[in-house]
């Protein structure tokens, strides 16, 4: 950039002789003509001499750019545009500025002609005019009001601009952002996100005024509509800027999973947990900030409610900053964000930071600027400190200086022993003659190579192959190899929290909890969010009693100590009960503890009775921790009679951690993780060997055995993927506990007694399983060792329930140390179990689904919990134990269990092959609520899952579509070898499911066997038809071909009038299903929840009163009229004439898609009925 604020064009090098256009000379020329001093009469009398015309140079010749031009064209929103496109965009920006200034004519000094905006060459720019750039705003002058139809992108050049929210139509009440030079605002309206053109905020100049510049949406749209010259007459002309067209389509976020602006109203409902109770801010008496429409039912401040801010981030930009205190609640409307995993946090949450490092009062929201590159790490040489007083100090310093200054060398004579020197040199010379190494650069017999010379490494390898390297030479060889081929640094861990539309983050921040994220949250592609700021909420509720829920009062040390000092009644308190009878367990606690409102919820704050009545949310969450400590006998026994200073120390040693959905608290077998944690807020999922075994929530405690170093973690704990926003835990490290108890001998002795009592659990191994009858006939060490390794080791305190009668539990319990009692509720019958005893064998074998009795801890106890899915995994890994274990599962012989031969895909498959399939199959178990297949996943190794017991639910985009029960199969298409990419379906077990995973390799083997050739003709016929091949008769002869239409959804006449962008996303919503001949797809009169797109095969349509049946094939769409509500129910019966591959779309998903594309509803109805209006009314 040169003096005077001008910069040469970044698009092409400017020739030295090129001069900038002079608008001043053009003005002088026009002024002379206006005064009549142009001497035109004299020129008529003189002979005319024609001047030679200047040859017109390139279009960029004579252009000058200002710093403000570079600033606006380097905005992140234009990063996906080419330089040529940016230059033409600058032309449009200057056009707008010239027109705004009322200047449309100037003198082009380079070409000596008068130019106007109208006749300016389409590739030329108007001249640079500094005074035309931008618009100057007076202090506190409004740039726009909420609800204005304004699609301009606003860039701040100088000064500051305030973004104000609330009462946008009258100037705004609260400032949410201050924009300075380089900041831009208005991206959602500029890009047309969600089809909006209305401002949702107020933009006002700051106290010192501002200068801003605009980019109009029309300017970009006109450029994107330009086509390649000569192709304008084509039906589908080629755009001149295809890259930019695709780029801006991506930025518009017209995605089928996107939420409309109206969904932002969810921010005005306070429901931090997945519960029914919620507080609607707009209905609170006395608040006048939040509203959706005015009294006339019209939106006055854009498409989002008053009091809500919207922001837009580009790929990679920081949405939420790390180590900054949270101050708002966000909701993702369109796009996705991902949270970086901090260093060292891949397997546990201990290294996560929880104290803010930024204290300037700035928001944790990102500012929308390009992220700065990470600082480059400087490599330094680690040297030993030298004491100048020691002798030889100067000599050591000189040697050290020489070592650091001189480049390292590989010295040949130092690589071998003296006795091997001649032999080594001869071997290198021989290798040089054979062309293995180049020694031509060695001028002397003292061979040396630079440290990074690859020839030196070759020489070392040759010497190593002939075993002539000395011990020092071996060490040098390793150093050189490491230097020339350094190990690649491990890739950063993949983000665990990838959050999409509808996700919220910041509930704890709204309560005043000092939440801090230790890793930044970045945009994964463009993302559109809406924001509710805490200071806006407090302003709105300033005269309302509900404000107390969001304003923490805090607890003093004295109050905290008093709460801890007050004992609470517990079911395990012995009272006057004799010690030999154990704790007084009482009735089952699952009957008495249902329906309690969670802390920080509106119900807990407003109810008449309860522990959290009238407590602010943040104070209630602290009360959760105190109550959990008092309720947990292991901790309470240590401190129940402790002095106040110890109680205070206990609370101060707990450290908070804040995690997002799907982020990890701890991973199974993670080392150096001796801590205990209390769940304060959120829902967590516990998994073992990849399967869910438990869900824990507010007040639950995990990690007691690890705190006492009795066992490593045997379970993985993560925040539930369905958790509403962030979760919070409080953890206690063992090192802090030991340090805290160092000066208190009584609690220290108690802790040591518990550790000694349970020390026997450390001595247990796989041999303890040999006593269990279920494994008596398969006492193979590898099998039992695998089973023991995959078990969950837990610590329970006296009075804790390990199991409850009537509770679903697919596991068995083995006591490792301590004592438990098995008892029947409301009876006096009980049995006490000690080390090596077990219970619930029928549960792990699947014979019984529910617990038959209660199990209560009498003392502190360590138990091993063996889960059914881990048992089946061990069977698959060790087939020798398969028969012995499965023979004990007597339920498999019951008549209600379906037979594999009854599955349609195995119709006519010989019995011998069926038995082999069953023998080579893998038994599996899924707990109720477990995810069998996630979105975008396929069954591993293209197996097919055959459901023996239970039921599963299929969902797409979180919307349930249908269920599958006993006898159904999952993954048939890929099992048949069809090209069927994984869809967006999520399959979840709604009840406990036993499944048989059948191997595709078994069928592949059978297809190659001659003995099965005739028997497998129907199987081959089905594969042929579903893949678009020939339709074969019973003897294998072709009788026709099956039309195969992979694009049956995109080409369906149903979407004939819809836009390409909309139709291209519909396949993400469909499910792949297969029907066999004579199978009924739907019946006349059935509810039309689905429409069916036939990809391959033939379908017969029958209707009452119609004599001729209609046959449709690939590319047809059936069931669409009922699905689109044009008729109340299906008007015909659809029966598979052959094998049929159909792609089905549920009505709910179509409605969901149309909510993201409002205009498509009218187009869709127009294509089907020729009318207007939405499809669904």
């Amino acid at each position: 950039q040169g003096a005077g604020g001008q910069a040469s064009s970044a698009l092409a090098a400017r020739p030295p002789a090129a001069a900038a256009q002079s608008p001043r000379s053009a003005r002088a020329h026009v002024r002379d003509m206006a005064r009549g001093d142009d001497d035109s009469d004299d020129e008529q009398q003189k002979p005319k001499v024609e001047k030679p015309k200047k040859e017109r140079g390139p279009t960029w010749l004579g252009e000058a750019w200002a710093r403000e031009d570079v600033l606006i064209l380097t905005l992140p929103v234009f990063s996906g545009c080419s330089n040529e496109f940016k230059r033409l965009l600058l032309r449009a920006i200057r056009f707008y500025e010239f027109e705004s200034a009322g200047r449309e004519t100037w003198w082009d000094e380079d070409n000596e002609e008068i130019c106007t905006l109208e006749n300016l060459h389409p590739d030329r720019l108007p001249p640079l005019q500094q005074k035309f750039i931008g618009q100057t705003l007076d202090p506190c002058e409004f740039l726009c009001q909420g609800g204005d139809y304004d699609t301009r992108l606003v860039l701040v050049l100088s000064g500051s601009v305030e973004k104000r929210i609330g009462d946008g139509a009258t100037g705004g009440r609260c400032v949410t952002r201050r924009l300075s030079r380089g900041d831009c605002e208005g991206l959602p309206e500029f890009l047309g996100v969600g089809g909006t053109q209305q401002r949702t905020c107020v933009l006002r100049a700051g106290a010192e005024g501002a200068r801003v510049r605009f980019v109009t949406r029309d300017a970009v749209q006109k450029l994107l509509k330009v086509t390649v010259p000569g192709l304008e007459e084509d039906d589908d002309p080629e755009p001149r800027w295809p890259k930019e067209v695709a780029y801006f389509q991506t930025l518009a976020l017209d995605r089928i999973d996107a939420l409309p602006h109206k969904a932002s109203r969810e921010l005005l409902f306070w429901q931090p947990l997945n519960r029914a109770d919620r507080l609607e801010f707009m209905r609170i008496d006395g608040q006048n900030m939040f509203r959706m429409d005015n009294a006339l039912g019209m939106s006055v401040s854009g498409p989002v409610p008053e009091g809500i801010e919207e922001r837009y981030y580009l790929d990679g930009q920081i949405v939420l900053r790390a180590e900054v205190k949270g101050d708002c609640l966000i909701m993702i409307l369109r796009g996705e964000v991902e949270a970086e995993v901090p260093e060292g946090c891949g397997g546990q949450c201990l290294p996560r930071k929880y104290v803010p490092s930024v204290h300037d009062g700035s928001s944790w929201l990102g500012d929308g600027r390009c992220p700065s590159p990470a600082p480059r790490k400087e490599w330094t040489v680690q040297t030993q400190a030298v004491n100048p007083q020691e002798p030889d100090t100067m000599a050591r310093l000189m040697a050290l200086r020489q070592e650091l200054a001189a480049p390292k060398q590989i010295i040949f004579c130092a690589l071998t022993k003296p006795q091997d020197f001649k032999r080594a040199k001869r071997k290198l010379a021989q290798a040089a003659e054979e062309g293995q190494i180049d020694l031509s650069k060695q001028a002397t017999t003292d061979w040396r190579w630079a440290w990074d010379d690859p020839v030196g490494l070759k020489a070392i390898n040759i010497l190593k192959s002939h075993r002539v390297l000395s011990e020092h030479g071996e060490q040098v060889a390793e150093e050189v190899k490491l230097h020339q081929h350094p190990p690649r640094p491990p890739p950063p861990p993949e983000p665990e929290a990838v959050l999409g539309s509808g996700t919220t983050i910041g509930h704890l921040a709204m309560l005043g909890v000092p939440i801090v994220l230790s890793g930044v949250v970045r945009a994964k592609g463009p993302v559109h969010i809406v924001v509710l700021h805490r200071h806006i909420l407090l302003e709105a509720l300033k005269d309302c009693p509900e404000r107390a829920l969001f304003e923490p009062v805090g607890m003093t040390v004295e109050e905290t100590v008093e709460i801890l000092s007050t004992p609470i009644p517990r079911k395990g308190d012995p009272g006057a009960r004799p010690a030999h009878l154990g704790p007084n367990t009482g009735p089952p606690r699952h009957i008495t503890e249902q329906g309690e409102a969670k802390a920080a919820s509106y119900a807990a704050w407003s109810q008449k009775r309860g522990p959290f009545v009238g407590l602010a949310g943040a104070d209630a969450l602290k009360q959760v921790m105190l109550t959990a400590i008092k309720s947990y006998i292991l901790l309470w026994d240590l401190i129940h009679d402790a002095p106040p200073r110890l109680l205070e120390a206990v609370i101060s040693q707990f450290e908070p951690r804040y995690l997002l959905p799907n982020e990890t608290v701890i991973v199974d077998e993670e080392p150096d993780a001796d801590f205990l944690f209390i769940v304060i807020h959120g829902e967590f999922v516990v998994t073992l060997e990849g399967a869910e075994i438990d869900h824990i929530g507010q007040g639950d405690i995990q990690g007691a055995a690890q705190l006492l170093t009795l066992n490593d973690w045997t379970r993985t704990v993560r925040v539930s993927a369905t958790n509403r926003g962030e979760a919070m835990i409080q953890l206690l490290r063992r090192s802090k506990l030991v340090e805290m108890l160092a000066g208190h001998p009584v609690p220290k002795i108690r802790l040591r007694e518990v550790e000694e009592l349970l020390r026997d659990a450390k001595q247990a191994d796989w041999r303890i399983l040999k006593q269990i009858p279920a494994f008596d006939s398969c006492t193979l060490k590898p099998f039992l060792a695998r089973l023991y390794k995959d078990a969950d080791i837990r610590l329970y305190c006296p009075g804790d329930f390990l199991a409850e009668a009537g509770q679903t539990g697919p596991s068995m319990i083995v006591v490792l140390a301590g004592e438990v009692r098995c008892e029947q509720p409301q009876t006096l019958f009980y049995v006490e179990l000690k080390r090596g005893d077990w219970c619930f064998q029928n549960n792990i074998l699947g014979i019984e689904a529910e617990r038959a009795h209660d199990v209560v801890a009498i003392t502190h106890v360590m138990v091993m919990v063996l889960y059914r899915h881990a048992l089946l995994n061990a069977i698959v890994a060790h087939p020798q134990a398969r028969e012995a274990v499965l023979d004990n599962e007597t339920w498999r012989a019951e008549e209600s269990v379906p037979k594999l031969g009854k599955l349609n895909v195995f119709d006519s498959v010989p019995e011998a092959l069926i038995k082999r399939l069953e023998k080579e199959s893998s038994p599996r178990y899924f707990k109720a609520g477990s995810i069998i297949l996630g979105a975008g996943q396929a069954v591993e190794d293209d197996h097919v899952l055959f459901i023996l017991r239970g039921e599963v639910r299929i969902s797409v985009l979180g919307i349930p579509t249908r269920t599958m029960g006993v006898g159904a199969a999952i993954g048939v298409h890929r099992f048949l070898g069809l090209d069927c990419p994984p869809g967006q379906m999520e399959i979840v077990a709604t009840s406990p499911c036993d499944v048989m995973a059948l191997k595709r390799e078994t069928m592949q083997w059978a297809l190659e066997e001659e003995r099965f050739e005739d028997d497998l003709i129907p199987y081959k016929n089905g594969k042929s038809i579903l893949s678009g091949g020939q339709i074969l008769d019973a003897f294998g002869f072709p009788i026709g071909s099956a039309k195969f239409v992979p694009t049956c959804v995109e080409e369906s006449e149903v979407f004939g009038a819809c836009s390409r962008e909309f139709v291209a996303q519909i396949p993400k919503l469909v499910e792949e299903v297969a029907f066999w001949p004579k199978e009924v797809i739907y019946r006349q009169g059935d509810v039309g929840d689905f429409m069916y797109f036939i990809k391959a095969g033939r379908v017969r349509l029958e209707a009452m009163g119609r004599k001729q049946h209609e046959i449709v094939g690939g590319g047809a769409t059936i069931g669409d009229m009922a699905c689109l509500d044009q008729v109340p129910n299906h008007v015909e019966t659809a029966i598979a004439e052959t094998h049929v591959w159909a792609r089905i779309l549920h009505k709910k998903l179509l409605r969901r898609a149309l909510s993201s594309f409002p205009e498509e509803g009218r187009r869709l109805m127009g294509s089907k009925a020729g009318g207007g209006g939405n499809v669904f009314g």
Side-chain angles (χ1 to χ4, degrees), residues 632 854 979:
Y632 199 56
D854 291 345
D979 184 13

Side-chain angles (χ1 to χ4, degrees), residues 358-438:
V358 179
H359 302 279
D360 58 0
S362 58
S363 173
W364 73 340
L365 281 174
D367 56 12
R369 294 175 179 262
C370 286
S372 57
R376 185 177 299 174
K377 292 184 178 180
E378 299 292 339
W379 293 95
T380 57
V381 179
Q382 299 293 331
T383 60
Q384 186 178 359
V386 178
N387 184 2
Q389 303 300 327
E390 292 181 2
D392 302 329
T393 295
M394 187 56 64
R396 291 175 59 199
L397 285 174
M398 293 299 294
L400 184 60
R401 182 177 298 175
Q402 271 191 345
E403 181 183 348
L404 295 178
K408 279 191 172 184
Q409 288 187 327
I410 305 171
I411 304 173
F412 169 72
C413 62
L415 296 175
T416 64
K417 296 179 181 179
Q419 60 268 27
D420 295 331
F421 179 77
K422 290 184 178 180
R423 179 167 171 257
K425 199 162 190 177
R426 189 169 59 252
K427 293 297 183 182
L428 281 184
Q430 183 179 353
E433 292 176 0
E434 296 174 357
Q436 298 180 26
I437 191 172
D438 182 14

Side-chain angles (χ1 to χ4, degrees), residues 31 53 482 991:
R31 185 173 59 249
K53 277 191 174 182
L482 188 63
S991 61

Side-chain angles (χ1 to χ4, degrees), residues 668 686-693 716 718 869 873 926 930-931:
D668 180 14
V686 182
T687 60
L688 179 68
E689 294 300 310
E692 294 183 7
I693 60 173
T716 296
R718 288 190 172 91
H869 75 273
N873 289 345
F926 297 95
S930 300
I931 299 176

Side-chain angles (χ1 to χ4, degrees), residues 17 24 33 109 120 144 227 465 503 527 530 629 725 744 845 1060 1159:
R24 181 179 179 184
M33 291 180 64
E109 190 172 284
L120 184 65
C144 68
T227 57
S465 65
T503 307
V527 62
V530 285
I629 293 173
H744 301 274
L845 294 175
R1060 293 181 181 178
E1159 293 295 325

Side-chain angles (χ1 to χ4, degrees), residues 114-164:
I114 298 176
C115 294
T116 64
L117 294 177
E118 185 177 356
N119 64 11
L120 184 65
H121 190 278
D123 281 341
R124 285 188 175 275
L125 270 63
L128 173 63
Q129 290 284 356
Q130 288 281 2
K131 65 179 183 180
F132 291 172
I133 295 178
Q135 175 182 337
T136 302
L137 302 176
D138 295 331
C140 300
E141 180 182 349
F142 287 100
L143 185 60
C144 68
Q145 303 272 15
D148 289 354
Y149 285 84
D150 186 356
T151 60
R152 296 175 298 175
L153 180 66
V154 181
L155 172 68
V156 179
L157 301 179
S158 62
S160 65
V161 173
E162 296 177 347
K163 184 177 184 182
R164 305 174 70 88

Side-chain angles (χ1 to χ4, degrees), residues 1054-1055 1062 1066 1069 1088-1091 1119-1127 1145-1158 1160-1166 1168 1172-1177:
V1054 173
F1055 304 116
F1062 173 74
I1066 292 295
L1069 306 179
D1089 288 332
F1090 290 94
M1091 68 171 69
D1120 51 307
M1121 294 183 65
C1123 185
L1124 295 175
D1125 286 345
Q1126 293 182 320
V1127 292
L1145 174 64
H1146 198 279
K1147 178 190 298 186
K1148 293 180 182 178
L1149 291 170
L1150 183 57
R1151 288 178 173 175
R1152 173 70 175 78
L1154 293 175
S1155 69
S1156 301
F1157 292 82
E1160 302 300 333
R1162 290 182 286 273
R1163 295 174 182 171
L1164 191 60
M1165 178 56 77
K1168 295 301 296 180
N1174 193 288
V1175 176
F1176 301 104

Side-chain angles (χ1 to χ4, degrees), residues 110 122 721 812 825 911 1077:
D110 288 334
M812 71 179 302
E911 185 65 24

